[in-house]
Amino acid sequence: MAPRIDQARLLRRLDELAAFGATPAGGVDRQALSEPEIAARSYVLDIAAARGFRSFVDPIGNLFLRREGIDPSLPPVVAGSHLDSQPRGGRYDGALGVMAALECLEAIDDAGVAHRPPVEVVAWTNEEGSRFAPGAMGSMAYSGARPLAELLASRDAEGIAVADALPAILAATPEAAPRPLGAPLAAYLELHIEQGPVLEAEGIPVGIVTGIQGARWFEVTVAGEAGHAGTTPEAFRKDAFVAAQRIVAELRAALADRDDRTRFTIGRFALHPGSVNTIPAEAVFSIDLRHPEEDRLDELEAAVRRIVAERAAPCRAAIRPLLTIPGRRFPDRITGLCAEAVRDCGLLERRLVSGAFHDAQFIAGICPSGMIFVPCRGGISHNEAEHVEPEHAVAGARVLLAALLRLAA
Ligand code: HGY
Ligand code: MN
Ligand code: MN
């Protein structure tokens, strides 16, 4: 019997997962290493255990669920994504990729299909990078892109380090056996929502991702001088907000792109001490900068650094890189296999580049990797209103299954 996606089970599982960190507006707040994420990991572990799938966890908490192969010594074929979400995130970003991969493993198990290599589902730690920067932390550690110690030292706004929060995550999955970072993988596939408008606009249920654009995050700190809001004349002020505002205005002007390919976002902006009647001594803001061409990204970063350095007077400004993800093109072998899987499912072939970064960007550095996208309503994501049509979630899972079966054959 050929494995078949059980659509009712998949949709039910997505609803059940969305309960972990559910927000009143219908989204999720399931941030990395939080209680809701711990509960979500236990939830998927229970499903795996009921199937007799073995589970593994590595030193940064990446979670692997394994259906044994005929030859257990072979590196596994892996599919997955992430369970952590943005603070006010949607129900599908990351979650769809993990639950669809688990559904594939269950469909294969229901059909009693044997496969030579083991097949595994993975949930990478801290893909979003919102609580602990950088994002894609788990896949970065696993692929060796950044040293583990550096990532474990990352702290959230409360000063809690990843190293402090990790034991609770590891303690919540005692049945998961330890796995070293970088253990060989045969191939990696990730199903994800597009988080952009292309597939929906063209009425395409499943897209083949050919690559992912580069992304760079920075934190800018503008240091001025606190002062009395009522008594300090203009000429004596070193107002960190005024300097930051000037820098931001110049950045927006310098990075304006009539081709609309540059992505420049200031997502976080804080003033200290943050008192109504005190001139801000410090302004701290984030920059998320992306472009499909690496050399253009280099030019944009140089412009950012120049403006931050030159336009802060009479305050001082410093810029700290938080994340650098190089653009990545997936191998033709994998995109070709995904195209065959799309055809297996009787769907049209549509290739596109990802604007969002993903764990596959790093895992592609250690094994043949690829991604498939499904549309989300209005391209809206990182928003509680994020929505995927059930038939698209199911179509994505079917293509993922067809691709996995080809890889595991
Ligand atoms: O920011 C990103 O591109 C990813 O969705 N976290
Ligand atoms: Mn994601
Ligand atoms: Mn995301």
Side-chain angles (χ1 to χ4, degrees), residues 81-82 84-86 92-95 127-128 190-193 195 356-359 371 381-382 386:
S81 190
H82 58 93
D84 68 296
S85 79
Q86 287 284 321
Y92 301 95
D93 177 355
E127 187 280 341
E128 295 290 359
E190 181 166 354
L191 168 64
H192 204 285
I193 52 175
Q195 301 174 301
F357 67 70
H358 296 285
D359 294 305
M371 293 186 75
S381 183
H382 287 195
E386 184 181 274

Side-chain angles (χ1 to χ4, degrees), residues 4 52 78 189 193 214 229 264 285 376 384:
R4 287 177 50 77
V78 182
L189 288 177
I193 52 175
F264 170 70
F285 61 90
C376 50
E384 294 169 287

Side-chain angles (χ1 to χ4, degrees), residues 154-172:
S154 174
R155 291 182 183 278
D156 67 8
E158 275 73 55
I160 297 169
V162 169
D164 303 334
L166 211 47
I169 275 260
L170 301 177

Side-chain angles (χ1 to χ4, degrees), residues 250-251 254 299-311:
E250 300 238 348
L251 288 174
E299 290 166 8
L300 295 170
E301 175 173 345
V304 167
R305 289 179 174 281
R306 179 177 45 75
I307 291 168
V308 167
E310 292 173 1
R311 305 295 290 139

Side-chain angles (χ1 to χ4, degrees), residues 311-391:
R311 305 295 290 139
C315 300
R316 293 181 323 286
I319 183 167
R320 179 166 71 96
L322 295 178
L323 169 70
T324 300
I325 305 188
R328 173 76 72 179
R329 192 176 176 291
F330 293 126
D332 295 343
R333 176 180 156 238
I334 299 296
T335 48
L337 180 137
C338 290
E340 287 163 7
V342 164
R343 285 195 294 274
D344 289 348
C345 298
L347 297 171
L348 283 176
E349 221 183 289
R350 174 61 159 91
R351 294 163 188 252
L352 70 167
V353 173
S354 173
F357 67 70
H358 296 285
D359 294 305
Q361 210 154 347
F362 288 99
I363 304 308
I366 58 170
C367 74
S369 301
M371 293 186 75
I372 49 181
F373 274 171
V374 294
C376 50
R377 187 166 53 201
I380 292 171
S381 183
H382 287 195
N383 180 316
E384 294 169 287
E386 184 181 274
H387 177 75
V388 175
E389 293 309 321
E391 64 267 23

